[in-house]
Every structure is written in structure tokens, then in C-alpha cells.
Amino acid sequence: MTTIDLGLPAMPRTPARRPTRRIQVGNVPVGGGAPISVQTMTTTRTADVDATLQQIAEVTAAGCDIVRVAVPSADDAQALPKIAARSPIPVIADIHFQPRYVFAAIDAGCAAVRVNPGNIKKFDDKVREISVAASAAGIPIRIGVNAGSLDQRLLAKHGRATPQALAESALWECSLFEEHGFTDLKIAVKHHDPLTMIAAYRILSERCDYPLHLGVTEAGPAFQGSIKSAVAFGVLLGEGIGDTIRVSLSAPPVEQVKAGCHILSSLGLRPRKLEIVSCPGCGRLQVDIHKLATQVEAAFDGFPHPLRVAVMGCVVNGPGEAREADVGVSSGNGKGQIFVRGKVVRTVPESQIVDALIEEALHLTQSPTD
């Protein structure tokens, strides 16, 4: 079987990555020049093992590299060994309030543990024990500082969750681990405001070499949250800051993963998958381009090859854009010209455009046999 040239454009040059130390989250390297990974968090009750594993399977299929599960109760902690053993991707246990669950997660074989120092009573007193247990198990710790649960001492000092307060909190906790010789750490400092979040990560990037997990916390519904996350990630990743990301949307975890993968591929930091190019619409349209683009997107959902599909609605940019794509259509007057690699291969009625695009895409990506 021979390799198929899909005709994709060359990936743009990516920005120089900020040098960081590397940690290992299960079989996924983070930092130290490793590919930027995409994370999400399950929304099921962790104690419901089957439901949690089903959701993990779904996000894995969508491109997720690492998944986090909440551990707010003893029942959830007891479910961790089965989940960690059966998950196809590394599992991070997310711990708040109860430090004993940190040790339960380590014993369960989780790939990493996320701790929120601001939410764990007398957390600083537990650092030595956690360092010893994590070091013995060979798993990293993520220091996850959130604006909404910042240590009260730092709130009193700074007045609010400023970039300086967020960074200071994370670096203080890291220093406690360092006192015990544990440096297998990753840092996240999240805020709902992209500008505050950007400033906090810039401070961290100047003051430490730990890998950084990027996130705009409580980013909002899918539309708003995706934009806020894309803006913040685009700025930071464009400066070479960031080693792993999560798009925190009020949307299913699969949608968070898709948004993260699209952000990275748009920046040339992850190989492109399927890409739909479609015009925004104007008074020249002779077709309902919004409806057509939605139909094409739905028809190509799950398509396994990284094609660029152009859906255009008028004669101004339509033919040119369609020619630039692997497969495309220029629509008007109740019909569509179907392009494959820049050449018109046929003209079909408007009602057959979607089927024609799928047929040509399948034909283009069929592997020739020797």
C-alpha cells in the first residue's frame, strides 16, 4: 500500500518554545519541547466507573491526550484504580479539600495528581508526605491555582486575584516541594479574564522553568469561552509559553477537546485534521451558504483524513478558494461546480452538492493497492 499525498499546505513555522523541564504524565511527555497536549475533565460522577470510562473513550476519540477526573468523595477515590487501569489515556486525579485523597490517587496508579492549595486545609503541612509518596510512585504533581480559590493570605496581601498574586501562590507552593527535593511539577494559574491570565503566565515564564498548563477558567458557554480561550492561548503560545492546554467551556468535554485541537492546529502546533473553509455570506450569494456549510460540516464529521474542504457561495472568491482546497464547491444558480485539487470535475444540482463532496473526498483518499 502506498502513501497518499493529500495535498495539504505546509504547516506554518511555529514559534520558538520557551525552554522548560520535562515531566511524564503516564505515556505523555509534557514540557521540554514535547508536543503541546490537549486535556479535558470528565463531567460524570467518578464513582460511576462505566460512565466515566465511556466519557473518557469519547474524548480520546476526539483527540484528547490527558484526562482529569474529580475526586470529591471516598466513593470517587475508591473508583480510581479501575479507571486508571482501564483508561486509554493518562488519568489525573483532581483533588480539593481532602489531602487524604492525594495519597489515594497515588496508590490507585493515577498518572498525576492535581492539587489546589487554596482549597486544601493546612496543605503546606502535607507537602513533605505528598513529595515522598509521589516521588516513590514516580508521578508528577500539578499545582493548580484558581482565582476563585486563591489562598486567603495572598488575597489579603494583594487585595484580589491579580496576576502577581496567582503567580506568587504557585511559586510559593513549588518552593515548598523543592525544599523536599521534589521538582516533578507542573503549574496552572487560571483566571476567567484572559488578560489577567496572560499576565500571570508571563510572570511564571520569567521566574521558573516548570511546564505550564494553560487555561482560562470558567471561560463560559461554547461560543464565548472558545473565543476567550483562543485569544489567550494564541497570545501565549505565540510567545512560546505553554506546554499543555484545556479549553474550559460550559459544554460537553468532547467539545472542549475539539476546540483545543482546533486552536493548536490553527497555530501550526498540531497536525491539521479536516478543515472546512466557507465564506461568511454577502449580498452576492445565490445559495444559503450558512445552511450548506452546516450540512457539509455534519456530513464530514468524523472523516478520518486531514482534508481541506471549501464551501463557497459566489463567483467572486468561490472558484479561487475552491481550487485551493483538496475538495470544494463554488455554488450559484441552483447548482455547484465541484473542484478536486483545483480542477472542475463536475457540476451538480444544489441538492446533490453534499453527496458529491463526500464522494470526491472518499475517492481522493482511497489508498491505491500495489
Side-chain angles (χ1 to χ4, degrees):
M1 188 173 291
T2 59
T3 302
I4 308 167
D5 176 14
L6 294 177
L8 291 175
M11 294 290 284
R13 189 174 61 135
T14 58
R17 296 276 299 282
R18 159 187 170 271
T20 67
R21 64 184 71 193
R22 178 176 291 195
I23 64 172
Q24 197 71 26
V25 181
N27 61 356
V28 177
V30 176
I36 296 172
S37 53
V38 174
Q39 301 190 26
T40 191
M41 190 170 182
T42 57
T43 57
T44 57
R45 286 189 64 249
T46 304
D48 188 338
V49 174
D50 290 340
T52 301
L53 286 170
Q54 176 60 35
Q55 197 168 77
I56 291 174
E58 292 168 359
V59 299
T60 302
C64 188
D65 301 299
I66 299 169
V67 68
R68 190 154 38 109
V69 299
V71 190
S73 72
D75 289 342
D76 298 315
Q78 291 172 6
L80 289 176
K82 293 181 180 178
I83 293 171
R86 294 166 56 187
S87 172
I89 57 178
V91 173
I92 297 178
D94 190 76
I95 311 297
H96 295 260
F97 305 115
Q98 295 293 342
R100 69 176 182 271
Y101 296 151
V102 174
F103 303 104
I106 292 172
D107 292 340
C110 290
V113 177
R114 182 270 178 130
V115 294
N116 184 345
N119 269 347
I120 298 180
K121 293 180 179 179
K122 297 183 178 180
F123 176 79
D124 294 354
D125 298 334
K126 298 291 184 180
V127 169
R128 185 189 67 81
E129 295 176 59
I130 293 173
S131 297
V132 171
S135 180
I139 70 169
I141 299 291
R142 173 181 145 194
I143 304 295
V145 176
N146 270 27
S149 54
L150 190 63
D151 190 298
Q152 292 300 313
R153 294 167 294 183
L154 290 168
L155 278 177
K157 175 181 177 180
H158 293 273
R160 58 189 177 86
T162 64
Q164 294 77 14
L166 294 169
E168 183 178 336
S169 176
L171 293 171
W172 165 254
E173 299 301 339
C174 287
S175 72
L176 297 181
F177 279 95
E178 291 166 354
E179 289 179 2
H180 301 288
F182 188 86
T183 57
D184 205 6
L185 301 168
K186 176 175 62 175
I187 301 177
V189 285
K190 295 187 175 184
H191 197 284
H192 67 271
D193 175 56
L195 296 180
T196 301
M197 173 264 199
I198 289 169
Y201 278 100
R202 283 173 172 165
I203 293 171
L204 287 176
S205 72
E206 294 174 354
R207 296 181 57 186
C208 74
D209 67 349
Y210 289 116
L212 301 179
H213 170 79
L214 303 186
V216 179
T217 193
E218 291 99 30
F223 177 76
Q224 173 182 290
S226 295
I227 291 175
K228 289 169 68 174
S229 297
V231 168
F233 295 174
V235 169
L236 290 170
L237 293 172
E239 297 175 3
I241 299 172
D243 302 284
T244 181
I245 67 170
R246 182 200 176 189
V247 182
S248 299
L249 306 176
S250 297
V254 165
E255 298 306 313
Q256 299 178 22
V257 172
K258 288 180 179 178
C261 291
H262 277 297
I263 290 171
L264 293 183
S265 64
S266 295
L267 293 169
L269 294 168
R270 177 170 281 222
R272 283 194 173 101
K273 294 187 178 180
L274 181 77
E275 180 181 6
I276 305 291
V277 178
S278 59
C279 63
C282 69
R284 295 186 297 265
L285 286 178
Q286 297 176 326
V287 66
D288 186 342
I289 196 65
H290 302 150
K291 178 180 178 181
L292 180 59
T294 299
Q295 291 173 336
V296 171
E297 183 179 36
F300 276 89
D301 185 38
F303 196 78
H305 301 287
L307 293 182
R308 175 173 287 169
V309 181
V311 183
M312 309 304 295
C314 81
V315 297
V316 175
N317 293 319
E321 289 287 355
R323 287 191 181 97
E324 288 294 317
D326 297 291
V327 179
V329 61
S330 178
S331 310
N333 292 323
K335 57 187 177 181
Q337 284 187 319
I338 306 298
F339 290 78
V340 176
R341 297 282 173 77
K343 296 181 180 180
V344 177
V345 295
R346 54 174 157 153
T347 300
V348 299
E350 184 178 323
S351 62
Q352 298 177 21
I353 287 175
V354 176
D355 289 340
L357 289 173
I358 289 288
E359 289 171 7
E360 296 299 338
L362 289 172
H363 178 72
L364 184 64
T365 55
Q366 284 177 350
S367 300
T369 55
D370 294 333

